[in-house]
Amino acid sequence: MEETAVLLVDDEPALLLMLDMVLKKEGFRRIDHAESAAAALARCRQKRYDIILLDVMLPDKSGFEICPFIRETTDAPILFVTAKGSDLDKLTGFAMGGDDYITKPFNPLEVVARMKAQLRRSKPQAEEPGKAARTNALVYDYGRFQVDELAGELRVEGKPVACPAQVFQLLLFLCKHPNRIFTKDQLYEAVWGIDSMGDDHTVIVHIRRIRERIERDPGQPDYLVTVRGLGYKLVPPKELP
């Protein structure tokens, strides 16, 4: 964690100090602060960050407003932090490009756990010492689309399609388990690495993002289908009607 670059964006100095102290106790060393939207954007243009904690209610512009601009400079996981916990706020956060949503007041250790989970999913795993690098990419071919695990690439009808880290990780997990039904809680734990604590919206939004990329008609999916009352499953081409 010492080499992980973290940006904390919040207009409450006491909260920034508290998070800074907790993160340093957990092994993080490269931590920057920003107390406004303008400062956050300037930081992101000057430096590459591995993860960003972004407050929604900032004095100049909201975190929702600046998130798309941050996304122009980085694919790093963005965790929204806000006192508003409505379903609409959460859906807005994910729609703007966020990867997770934390509601105030929060346990700082939960924030650290969520950050670590995001980092595990967004960073490629290093090769084991002495182990030769794999030369053949592992590609999951679903006919209309292919998922290249090692390249971290989604191709639809032969063309690369931009895919945020968590969307790609969820799709990759489903590709590895075709025809298996997963509940929202199971998907959250498998991909985000922690218990969902009843947060269904994260998975719902990411399922929608996947369908927008791989389906001919996201409203009537052929591949990533809903099994009513049970969850979701990815159907291989040979199983399609």
Side-chain angles (χ1 to χ4, degrees):
M1 293 300 174
E2 290 186 1
E3 298 303 314
T4 300
V6 179
L7 177 61
L8 305 177
V9 185
D10 201 292
D11 61 341
E12 298 181 39
L15 181 60
L16 288 174
L17 179 61
M18 181 266 290
L19 286 172
D20 192 289
M21 292 175 59
V22 173
L23 286 168
K24 285 179 178 175
K25 287 182 179 179
E26 293 295 317
F28 292 88
R29 294 292 178 266
R30 299 174 58 196
I31 305 172
D32 290 336
H33 300 173
E35 296 186 20
S36 68
L41 287 172
R43 289 276 193 184
C44 290
R45 288 169 183 150
Q46 295 166 359
K47 182 175 178 180
R48 179 188 175 280
Y49 290 98
D50 297 300
I51 191 163
I52 299 169
L53 203 65
L54 179 59
D55 188 27
V56 173
M57 302 300 291
L58 296 169
D60 44 357
K61 291 185 178 181
S62 75
F64 290 157
E65 289 179 282
I66 67 170
C67 187
F69 296 99
I70 293 176
R71 274 281 167 253
E72 292 177 359
T73 65
T74 180
D75 289 327
I78 297 175
L79 289 76
F80 280 114
V81 180
T82 182
K84 295 182 177 181
S86 71
D87 292 347
L88 178 59
D89 288 312
K90 292 182 179 181
L91 291 173
T92 300
F94 292 125
M96 291 295 102
D99 296 283
D100 205 349
Y101 197 100
I102 301 169
T103 304
K104 297 179 181 177
F106 53 71
N107 183 329
L109 293 178
E110 179 190 347
V111 175
V112 174
R114 287 179 178 270
M115 291 175 67
K116 288 182 177 180
Q118 290 287 342
L119 288 167
R120 284 196 300 271
R121 299 298 172 181
S122 65
K123 287 189 175 182
Q125 298 297 314
E127 292 286 346
E128 296 178 12
K131 183 178 180 180
R134 295 173 62 180
T135 56
N136 296 322
L138 185 55
V139 178
Y140 297 89
D141 190 346
Y142 276 72
R144 173 175 163 79
F145 68 93
Q146 294 79 39
V147 176
D148 189 326
E149 181 174 7
L150 296 188
E153 184 179 68
L154 167 65
R155 293 189 297 272
V156 180
E157 295 185 337
K159 298 179 181 179
V161 174
C163 200
Q166 292 304 113
V167 176
F168 182 84
Q169 291 294 341
L170 178 56
L171 176 56
L172 177 62
F173 176 79
L174 290 165
C175 285
K176 290 181 175 181
H177 304 88
N179 277 325
R180 180 174 170 183
I181 300 172
F182 292 95
T183 66
K184 299 182 188 74
D185 287 342
Q186 288 173 329
L187 290 173
Y188 195 100
E189 186 171 354
V191 176
W192 279 262
I194 54 178
D195 187 89
S196 69
M197 301 181 69
D199 179 11
D200 291 344
H201 296 289
T202 299
V203 173
I204 292 172
V205 171
H206 283 70
I207 290 289
R208 176 169 57 81
R209 288 181 175 180
I210 290 174
R211 285 172 172 165
E212 288 171 351
R213 287 165 170 81
I214 69 172
E215 301 286 356
R216 291 183 177 83
D217 181 358
Q220 296 183 319
D222 291 320
Y223 295 94
L224 182 45
V225 300
T226 301
V227 182
R228 188 177 298 276
L230 296 176
Y232 303 98
K233 70 175 180 178
L234 193 66
V235 181
K238 64 181 180 179
E239 301 292 337
L240 296 178

